[in-house]
Amino acid sequence: MATLLDQVTELENKIKNHDAYGTSYKWSPRDFELGKALGQGKFGHVHVAREKKTQFLVAIKALFKSQIVGSKCERQVLREIEIQSHLKHPNILRLLTWFHDERRIYLVLEFAAGGELYKHLTNAPCGRFPERTAARYIYQVADAVDYCHQHHVIHRDIKPENILVSSDGDLKLADFGWSVHAPSERRKTMCGTLDYLPPEMIKREVYDVSVDHWCIGVLLYEFLVGKPPFESEGQSSTYTRILTLDMTYPKYVPEGAKDLISKLLRQSSKERLPLEGVKNHFWVQKFRN
Ligand code: AMP
């Protein structure tokens, strides 16, 4: 069986290591000055770093190959690299380039100075975003996810923890660890976070891009209420609430937002509002500018 080193080299040749500068320069850790730690991921640390020649600020995620192999996540990591290196959208975290040595894979990512969206939500007054912010954010997420779908990629794990914020306050969809290229064949794998799981994934039915539409509905609810709509004590009661659409809106949720959420949180995936409809929804448009 091919080692992870062989697999990474193969992927490298496939993508040809073309980076944001349009060259196939061989980057190495020596090209960067490492700054403070930004966070801890599953397979290693994330640091802010400065590219020595241009002084350009980036985030470098160093993944230990031994840990990837140890947890049998080779395919997931390689898929994440391959998918993210092809996606170029203002609201998707750019993978600028990547390289590897004996022990580590280094991902050179766009630096999102605002950090995790989850923290912004927790720190907001009453733990929820004002209507205007929620509408602007949901437009950006819908636009990013629409772009993914146009490139045949389903994200499958949209939630505040997987979204970062730029220095300008714009959202950057990240964490493509669970995303899949969506060929015509639809998938049955169960993944993602409990509170955000769409009914068809709980029922282990085939699903398609519209799992992401459901998650955008859950996300908008969480933006405005501060917690997801089907949150419960245990896993099985969360499942039951999702499958029976057992949810209520606090009084302060605006009518326009309720209308949009209800058009996304539909049991039947075919009935969910298309993303173009989300972006053009009257409540989103009212607050866009
Ligand atoms: P991850 O391994 O992607 O979950 O990253 C771990 C943590 O590092 C995240 O939760 C963020 O707080 C931080 N982080 C990751 N990537 C970036 C980035 N591009 N810009 C800023 N912070 C980041």
Side-chain angles (χ1 to χ4, degrees), residues 37-48 58-61 63 80 93-94 108-116 119 161-162 164-165 174-175:
L38 294 167
Q40 169 80 48
K42 200 168 161 207
F43 302 116
H45 297 277
V46 184
H47 283 263
V48 66
V58 294
I60 296 195
K61 199 195 255 196
L63 312 169
E80 181 170 5
L93 192 77
R94 262 305 278 285
V108 183
L109 296 156
E110 173 181 9
F111 173 48
E116 289 173 25
K119 291 199 182 128
E161 294 87 329
N162 287 341
L164 295 170
V165 183
D175 227 319

Side-chain angles (χ1 to χ4, degrees), residues 11 73-85 156 176-181 187:
L11 179 62
C73 286
E74 296 98 315
R75 283 184 55 180
Q76 187 188 332
V77 171
L78 293 172
R79 188 166 59 200
E80 181 170 5
I81 297 174
E82 185 171 11
I83 289 177
Q84 217 170 338
S85 62
R156 303 199 298 182
F176 283 79
W178 274 121
S179 57
V180 278
H181 274 296
R187 314 223 154 217

Side-chain angles (χ1 to χ4, degrees), residues 225 248-255 258:
V225 180
T248 53
Y249 296 95
K251 275 207 191 68
Y252 53 76
V253 177
E255 287 303 319
K258 270 199 237 174

Side-chain angles (χ1 to χ4, degrees), residues 149 151-154 179-187 208-209:
H149 291 178
H151 289 78
H152 312 290
V153 169
I154 316 178
S179 57
V180 278
H181 274 296
S184 49
E185 170 212 0
R186 294 181 304 169
R187 314 223 154 217
D208 58 19
V209 292

Side-chain angles (χ1 to χ4, degrees), residues 41-57:
K42 200 168 161 207
F43 302 116
H45 297 277
V46 184
H47 283 263
V48 66
R50 198 183 283 281
E51 199 273 311
K52 286 181 187 163
K53 224 187 264 165
T54 57
Q55 298 290 300
F56 193 70
L57 276 185

Side-chain angles (χ1 to χ4, degrees), residues 163-235:
I163 300 174
L164 295 170
V165 183
S166 76
S167 55
D168 300 329
D170 290 325
L171 299 192
K172 303 280 174 179
L173 189 58
D175 227 319
F176 283 79
W178 274 121
S179 57
V180 278
H181 274 296
S184 49
E185 170 212 0
R186 294 181 304 169
R187 314 223 154 217
K188 255 183 161 180
T189 327
M190 174 126 148
C191 61
T193 306
L194 211 65
D195 280 310
Y196 278 72
L197 274 183
E200 62 271 34
M201 276 172 100
I202 294 177
K203 291 189 269 181
R204 293 179 178 270
E205 292 171 354
V206 285
Y207 59 83
D208 58 19
V209 292
S210 62
V211 290
D212 286 341
H213 299 220
W214 172 276
C215 293
I216 293 174
V218 177
L219 187 70
L220 177 54
Y221 184 100
E222 184 163 358
F223 282 172
L224 292 165
V225 180
K227 58 182 174 114
F230 308 108
E231 194 179 65
S232 313
E233 285 288 309
Q235 174 170 326

